[in-house]
Each structure stands twice: as C-alpha cells, then as structure tokens.
Amino acid sequence: MGGLSMDQAFVQAPEHRPKASVAEADGIPVIDLSPLLAAGDGDADGVDALAAEVGRASRDWGFFVVVRHGVPAEAVARAAEAQRTFFALPPERRAAVARSEAAPMGYYASEHTKNVRDWKEVFDLVPRQTPPPPTTAVADGDLVFDNKWPDDLPGFREAMEEYGEAVEELAFKLLELIARSLGLRPDRLHGFFKDDQTTFIRLNHYPPCPSPDLALGVGRHKDAGALTVLYQDDVGGLDVRRRSDGEWVRVRPVPHSFIINVGDIIQVWSNDRYESAEHRVAVNVEKERFSIPFFFNPAGHTMVEPLEEVVSDESPARYNPYNWGEFFSTRKNSNFKKLDVENVQITHFRKN
C-alpha cells in the first residue's frame, strides 16, 4: 500500500485486537441454490424448503454461504483477475482514480471503521450507470455515484460490469427467498431496488501486515444495507461473531461460493426476526488477501421501517422510520475521518 507502516492509527483497542488463533466456525449454513434456479420446472416445494433454510440461517447466524448459485465462474475469475491487476498498479496510477467526499466512487487507502484505520486499500464502483448515475441528496449537497475507471487497464471495466450484472441477478433471487421466508409475496421487496439503487461493489486488497495482532483489515461492524454478496479468495480472514456465545469464529473459504450477509435494512424490515451479523477481517504477516463485496442497497429515497405485514399488536414496530439516503451518506462520509462519536447505527432509531 505504497509503503504503509504500522502507524498508531491502525492499532485496535486491546479488547478488540484479534487473538493469535481463531477457531474455525462450525455449522455455518451452506445452502445449495439450484432448486431456485430450476424453479421454472415447477419445483415449488424445493423453493419453499430453500426459503425456510434461508430464514433459519438469517435468524440464527445473520449470514450463510451459497453454492450452485448461477453466477458464472468465468465472470468471477475475470473480476478477480482485474482486481489483482488494478492493485498491482503503481501508487500514482491508483491515486489517479482516487475518490472524494462528494464523489465516493474510486480508489481509497485510509478508511476508518469504528474510528480505527483499516489495514486495507479499496476501489469502489457502482455496477450500472445507465440511466445516469443516481445522486443521493444530503443536507449539504449530493453524493454523486459516478465511476472513475482506470485509464489504460484493458478489460477492467468490462469485467466489473459483467460481474455486477451477474451478482445483481443473484441478489434479487436472494431477496425473493428472504421475502418468502417472512411469509411475503416473492417480489415484495423488489420495488425498493428498481430505481436509483445505491448498490455498489467494493474491491478489497489486504496487504501483508507486520503486526496482525494489533490491526484489522476491517474492524468489527455490521453492514448497513440490505444484503451483502461477498466473494473471498482462498486465503481466509473473515471472522463473524457467533450468536450463541459471542465468540469470534473464522469463516473458511468454500470454493465457488458466495457469503451472504443479512444487513441492517433486512433486520429493520423483518422487525428483528432476522439480525445482521457483526463481522471483521483479520490480516496476516505472509499473504495478501482479496475480496469483492457487492453491497445490495435500495434507492436513496427509501424510508426504512418494519414492513406492515410483519408488524402486529403482538409484535409492534421496533424501529422508527429513517431515510436510507441520509443514513448511507452519513456512514460514507464518516469513513474519511476519525470521529469523536460512534457512527450512525440502526440502534439510534430503535423504539424504547
């Protein structure tokens, strides 16, 4: 990362530092999505069983692994290769596509999570820009979601657009399963994502770290959006806080899979029937690591609140409505700077 040294900004508070060894997670749900892909053949029972499986995983873990998911292996391989090529560019070439507070797409190497700097560098892009990129209105202006493509990197844009299209298709299928699992009609949640999505793709690069006992690639956090569809390479480093005992456990890479995180928006829509998983990324001394999260987010104008179908006299709404665009832009901007307070969370909208 351009001569990055072990600065104090990277050092986690003692209670948040990773242990020397983290147990591998047992029992993480691995879900075969092929029944959904074959649903055109009339396998309604298979889809219902799949939805129930997704529901259990979302309730018990807040995330799960999917295999036989329909995303072409070639598209994943091309995106992963393009990612490695980009981060191998000289620092000045990467800096030429740096992001800014007003235009948050592009390259960035000093992100903060929970007010501690992450040991990583990233490149953010939106998966589709036709029609024109959406803007998210905020109090002091608009966030402009406009991609900064690196010049003279053949095939980079095409690989990322192909990947984004394929993973978005998977994200909508997962959204259908989440809806079914909550007893809703299959397309109940689709409308939130039809216009002006704030979905974005992040390319993560975690270089070898001289003090992996002090720093984290990404500090502990929960994803603010609806769903995260994560590709990770075979190095490993993703830790999830286990619901049953609060311990951190390592998620072993499964070949040809994606890890699906339930985000805060799903937690609110489901009125806490599902809970987003707290997770972090550990780094190591020897190996660099790459991952590609696809953050599936609704339109900026969306008001997020528990769905009317899951609210009742026995189970009243646990959250006040909040505007996703304002929430998202506040989270985005805070990544640029160390704050005196914790960033905005859905707990701030929880009813007493």
Side-chain angles (χ1 to χ4, degrees), residues 25 79 221 223 312:
H221 68 288
D223 291 347
S312 65

Side-chain angles (χ1 to χ4, degrees), residues 249-276:
V249 289
R250 180 71 40 87
V251 181
R252 180 177 58 84
V254 175
H256 309 298
S257 73
F258 288 103
I259 296 165
I260 312 302
N261 277 23
V262 172
D264 286 344
I265 289 178
I266 296 286
Q267 179 170 328
V268 173
W269 279 342
S270 72
N271 205 30
D272 284 348
R273 282 169 65 176
Y274 301 155
E275 185 181 337
S276 60

Side-chain angles (χ1 to χ4, degrees), residues 278-292:
E278 188 171 25
H279 54 286
R280 68 183 188 188
V281 176
V283 286
N284 67 81
V285 176
E286 297 171 356
K287 292 182 177 179
E288 61 183 342
R289 177 177 179 267
F290 296 89
S291 70
I292 310 178

Side-chain angles (χ1 to χ4, degrees), residues 60-272:
D60 298 342
W61 287 87
F63 79 104
F64 49 93
V65 177
V66 296
V67 295
R68 299 177 72 186
H69 41 65
V71 177
E74 301 78 18
V76 178
R78 277 190 284 270
E81 180 59 31
Q83 175 184 26
R84 287 174 177 272
T85 303
F86 173 78
F87 286 115
L89 291 174
E92 64 275 10
R93 293 273 302 279
R94 283 172 282 159
V97 288
R99 78 187 200 187
S100 68
E101 288 199 47
M105 296 299 106
Y107 174 74
Y108 196 54
S110 53
E111 184 155 88
H112 290 72
T113 302
K114 302 288 187 187
N115 287 327
V116 181
R117 191 170 165 189
D118 296 331
W119 189 270
K120 69 175 180 191
E121 54 183 343
V122 307
F123 183 88
D124 288 347
L125 62 119
V126 289
R128 46 180 175 148
Q129 287 201 218
T130 51
T135 58
T136 298
V138 292
D140 55 352
D142 287 340
L143 285 181
V144 180
F145 286 63
D146 200 357
N147 286 331
K148 299 181 183 73
W149 298 111
D151 292 333
D152 308 323
L153 206 58
F156 181 85
R157 176 174 182 165
E158 293 75 12
M160 292 306 156
E161 288 180 340
E162 176 191 27
Y163 180 83
E165 194 173 313
V167 175
E168 183 184 76
E169 203 172 308
L170 170 60
F172 273 111
K173 291 188 173 91
L174 293 164
L175 206 60
E176 174 186 333
L177 291 171
I178 294 275
R180 286 176 181 269
S181 73
L182 290 168
L184 310 172
R185 70 174 193 272
D187 65 348
R188 171 64 173 90
L189 305 175
H190 283 35
F192 295 112
F193 299 83
K194 288 298 185 191
D195 303 311
D196 290 352
Q197 277 183 32
T198 54
T199 294
F200 70 101
I201 294 172
R202 167 162 289 177
L203 310 181
N204 283 319
H205 175 225
Y206 304 97
C209 177
S211 302
D213 55 329
L214 299 178
L216 285 166
V218 183
R220 75 198 195 287
H221 68 288
K222 296 185 174 190
D223 291 347
L227 289 173
T228 303
V229 182
L230 175 74
Y231 159 79
Q232 64 167 344
D233 66 13
D234 59 3
V235 173
L238 176 66
D239 294 341
V240 173
R241 195 187 288 277
R242 189 163 49 199
R243 211 53 57 79
S244 56
D245 57 8
E247 285 296 310
W248 288 104
V249 289
R250 180 71 40 87
V251 181
R252 180 177 58 84
V254 175
H256 309 298
S257 73
F258 288 103
I259 296 165
I260 312 302
N261 277 23
V262 172
D264 286 344
I265 289 178
I266 296 286
Q267 179 170 328
V268 173
W269 279 342
S270 72
N271 205 30
D272 284 348

